């Protein structure tokens, strides 16, 4: 038998390469690097692991497990605050929004705002009960005042503790004090100029003031705002000043001049615009639009958080505030339909009060409810801002076109 010829070297090499390829597994594709996540997204993923139903809440037990497994990623002081939050929660659930707000707080929170939490932890009081701040002894007069304001305006103990630790009275509640002093100064000036203090609005020269809103002079846009410095009489000024000092100053101490000033001015503008739409022949004076916006927002906030509000005699305080508002509103209604001292122009309208209330129970409630949270992140805030903007635009067009279309007989200019 003859020998078989050996295969060509090239063919043998190819066969060997195919055999090696069959033996070696195919390399796995390299995994793609995930996109970096924002800190809030990172914590949302971790939170959702304990919240499969996507309710936005987890039990305090699961919350503590989350902190134990991932707490090393947090600043130690923030971790102590979060532990105190879990210990202080009485309903057994933690809200994701509260959690992420605490996590995303800037660094100065750990230096200032967690002091009372750290003290409670160091003293062995791991449960932040509702009376913790009230039971603190040896406080100075200013500290007791700050504590009183916290319990008058904030429904949650954690917010009260934060406010108590962080408030420095710098800046002071300057907006409400400045507005009040200006209103008093203008009233005294008019009283001397008119030689009348009790019911200035009955003086024949009263409406000639350049600050009063008058329907014939509605093109002078400043009058929609400056009318707050003119009051019908001493009783009108007195009730407005008392309400805005007793309610407005504590609210400004907690929420700041920007938020409270916005609610106040929005109520003032809404009040004059509401008169120009609903009571088109009447002038407007007084700061009731702004005052009613603040007071109605505060009262609505108390009602919505009734169980959490720890202010003393809250029912009595609400009754007194409602009585004062009713007296002032009743005086305005009576004056509006009382025979005018300068016919055919009627006395000032009371509709501005209703415009202020509408602003208070919409924009105002959102501002007071979201202590230390960014309003631009709140969907309800944008809804009410849009509603307010639509009303303002409607009132502007109404003032431009409706008066001529309806052929109203307006009182002569003063």
């Amino acid at each position: 038998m003859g020998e078989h010829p050996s295969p060509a070297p090239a063919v043998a090499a190819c066969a060997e390469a195919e055999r090696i390829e069959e033996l070696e597994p195919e390399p796995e594709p390299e995994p793609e690097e995930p996109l970096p996540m924002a800190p809030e997204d990172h914590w949302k993923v971790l939170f959702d692991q304990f919240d499969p139903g996507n309710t936005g809440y987890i039990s305090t037990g699961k919350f503590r497990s989350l902190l134990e497994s991932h707490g090393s990623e947090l600043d130690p002081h923030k971790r102590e605050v979060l532990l105190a939050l879990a210990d202080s929660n009485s309903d057994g659930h933690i809200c994701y929004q509260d959690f992420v707000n605490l996590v995303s707080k800037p660094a100065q929170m750990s230096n200032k705002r967690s002091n009372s939490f750290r003290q409670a932890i160091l003293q062995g009081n791991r449960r932040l009960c509702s009376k913790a701040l009230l039971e603190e002894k040896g406080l100075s007069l200013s500290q007791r005042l700050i504590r009183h304001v916290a319990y008058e305006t904030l429904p949650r103990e954690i917010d009260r503790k934060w406010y108590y630790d962080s408030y420095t009275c710098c800046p002071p509640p300057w907006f409400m004090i400045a507005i009040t002093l200006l209103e008093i100064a203008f009233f005294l000036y008019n009283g001397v100029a008119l030689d009348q203090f009790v019911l200035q609005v009955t003086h024949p020269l009263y409406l000639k003031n350049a600050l009063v809103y008058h329907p014939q002079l509605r093109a002078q846009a400043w009058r929609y705002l400056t009318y707050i410095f003119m009051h019908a009489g001493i009783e009108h000024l007195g009730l407005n000043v008392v309400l805005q000092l007793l309610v407005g100053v504590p609210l400004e101490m907690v929420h700041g001049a920007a938020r409270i000033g916005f609610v106040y001015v929005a109520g003032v503008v809404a009040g004059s615009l509401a008169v120009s739409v609903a009571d088109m022949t009447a002038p407007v004076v007084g700061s009731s639009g702004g005052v009613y916006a603040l007071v109605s927002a505060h009262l609505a906030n108390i009602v919505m958080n009734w169980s959490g509000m720890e202010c003393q005699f809250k029912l009595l305080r609400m009754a007194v505030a409602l009585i004062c508002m009713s007296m002032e509103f009743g005086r305005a209604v009576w004056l509006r339909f009382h025979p005018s001292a300068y016919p055919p122009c009627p006395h000032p309208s009371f509709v501005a009060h209703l415009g202020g209330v509408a602003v208070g129970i919409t924009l105002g409630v959102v501002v007071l409810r979201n202590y230390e949270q960014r309003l631009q992140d709140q969907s309800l805030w944008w809804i009410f801002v849009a509603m307010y903007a639509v009303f303002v635009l409607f009132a502007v067009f109404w003032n431009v076109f409706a008066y001529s279309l309806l052929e109203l007989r307006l009182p002569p200019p003063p």
Side-chain angles (χ1 to χ4, degrees):
M1 295 179 59
E3 295 183 358
H4 294 286
S6 60
V11 175
C14 289
E16 182 68 18
E18 290 177 1
R19 187 175 64 83
I20 293 174
E21 285 184 1
E22 291 176 357
L23 295 175
E24 292 181 354
E26 294 184 2
E28 296 182 359
E30 295 183 1
E32 297 182 1
E33 294 186 2
L35 295 175
M37 300 176 66
E40 293 83 359
D41 297 333
H42 169 67
W43 287 108
K44 179 62 175 171
V45 171
L46 297 176
F47 196 92
D48 286 345
Q49 293 177 3
F50 297 90
D51 180 27
N54 198 25
T55 62
Y57 292 85
I58 61 175
S59 67
T60 52
K62 293 180 179 179
F63 182 68
R64 294 188 67 86
S65 300
L66 173 61
L67 291 181
E68 291 172 1
S69 57
H70 296 87
S72 59
E73 304 175 23
L74 295 172
D75 179 272
H77 298 305
K78 287 186 178 182
R79 188 166 61 250
E80 290 180 0
V81 175
L82 291 167
L83 287 170
L85 172 64
D87 289 339
S88 66
N89 196 286
S90 59
D91 58 6
H93 291 84
I94 299 295
C95 176
Y96 169 73
Q97 189 60 50
D98 292 338
F99 166 65
V100 77
N101 286 341
L102 289 169
V103 170
S104 60
K105 284 288 181 183
Q108 61 264 29
M109 182 216 43
S110 53
N111 297 329
K112 293 167 55 178
R113 296 193 169 183
S114 63
N115 287 340
S116 57
F117 290 103
R118 293 202 302 272
Q119 291 171 6
I121 292 170
L122 292 175
Q123 294 169 1
N125 181 18
R126 296 303 300 264
R127 182 167 182 80
L128 190 64
C129 60
S130 59
K131 294 183 179 180
L133 186 55
L134 286 175
E135 290 178 349
E136 292 189 15
K137 305 297 182 182
L139 301 181
S140 64
L141 181 61
S142 61
Q143 289 174 324
R144 290 199 298 269
L145 174 61
I146 295 171
R147 181 177 64 178
H148 172 76
V149 170
Y151 278 92
E152 287 290 317
T153 55
L154 296 172
R156 300 195 311 167
E157 183 68 13
I158 188 171
D159 288 337
R160 297 180 193 125
K161 297 284 285 184
W162 254 351
Y163 169 72
Y164 177 80
D165 287 335
S166 62
Y167 185 71
T168 60
C169 199
C170 184
W174 60 269
F175 177 80
M176 294 309 308
I177 294 175
I179 286 290
T180 301
L181 292 177
L182 284 173
E183 291 172 1
I184 295 174
F186 276 103
F187 180 82
L188 294 176
Y189 173 81
N190 288 322
V192 172
L194 301 176
D195 193 23
Q196 187 168 337
F197 287 91
V198 177
L199 198 60
Q200 293 182 355
V201 73
T202 60
H203 196 283
L205 300 178
Y206 180 82
L207 289 184
K208 291 185 177 294
N209 195 293
L211 303 179
V212 176
Y213 169 84
H214 191 282
Q216 280 281 19
L217 304 174
R218 64 188 183 279
Q220 298 176 356
W222 70 82
R223 293 177 180 264
Y224 289 92
L225 185 61
T226 58
Y227 74 93
I228 66 173
F229 300 115
M230 301 292 294
H231 285 79
I234 187 67
E235 78 293 342
H236 188 200
L237 174 71
L239 286 171
N240 280 342
V241 164
V242 168
L243 284 173
Q244 70 186 25
L245 287 180
L246 290 181
V247 176
V249 170
L251 290 179
E252 186 178 348
M253 289 174 64
V254 173
H255 297 279
R259 293 192 181 205
I260 298 305
F262 174 79
V263 175
Y264 188 87
V265 173
V268 169
V269 174
S272 55
L273 290 177
V275 171
S276 70
V277 172
D279 198 3
M280 300 168 66
T281 61
V284 188
V285 296
S287 59
S288 299
V291 173
Y292 275 51
L294 291 179
V295 177
S296 60
H298 180 53
L299 295 182
N301 190 49
I302 292 177
V303 172
M304 292 171 62
N305 301 280
W306 187 262
S307 60
M309 298 299 292
E310 297 291 341
C311 50
Q312 292 182 329
F313 310 112
K314 58 185 175 183
L315 189 59
L316 177 61
R317 291 170 183 269
M318 284 193 62
V320 171
L322 290 173
I323 290 173
C324 291
M325 293 174 67
S326 301
M327 289 175 57
E328 208 277 324
F329 183 72
R331 179 212 58 81
V333 174
W334 171 84
L335 184 63
R336 171 65 179 84
F337 296 105
H338 190 269
S340 175
Y342 31 81
C345 185
H347 280 310
S349 176
F350 59 87
V351 178
H353 300 69
L354 305 179
V357 171
V359 169
I361 61 179
T362 53
L363 286 174
V365 167
V366 177
V367 168
L368 301 190
R369 189 180 65 185
N370 294 282
Y371 170 70
E372 282 291 318
Q373 293 183 20
R374 294 177 297 179
L375 290 174
Q376 59 266 32
D377 294 339
Q378 308 295 323
S379 58
L380 195 60
W381 161 258
W382 287 111
I383 291 173
F384 287 141
V385 166
M387 291 171 57
Y388 184 80
V390 168
F391 166 73
V392 170
L393 290 175
F394 167 78
V396 169
F397 280 100
W398 182 273
N399 277 268
V400 173
F401 300 108
Y403 280 79
S404 57
L405 293 176
L406 296 176
E407 298 182 353
L408 288 178
R409 298 185 60 182
L410 296 178

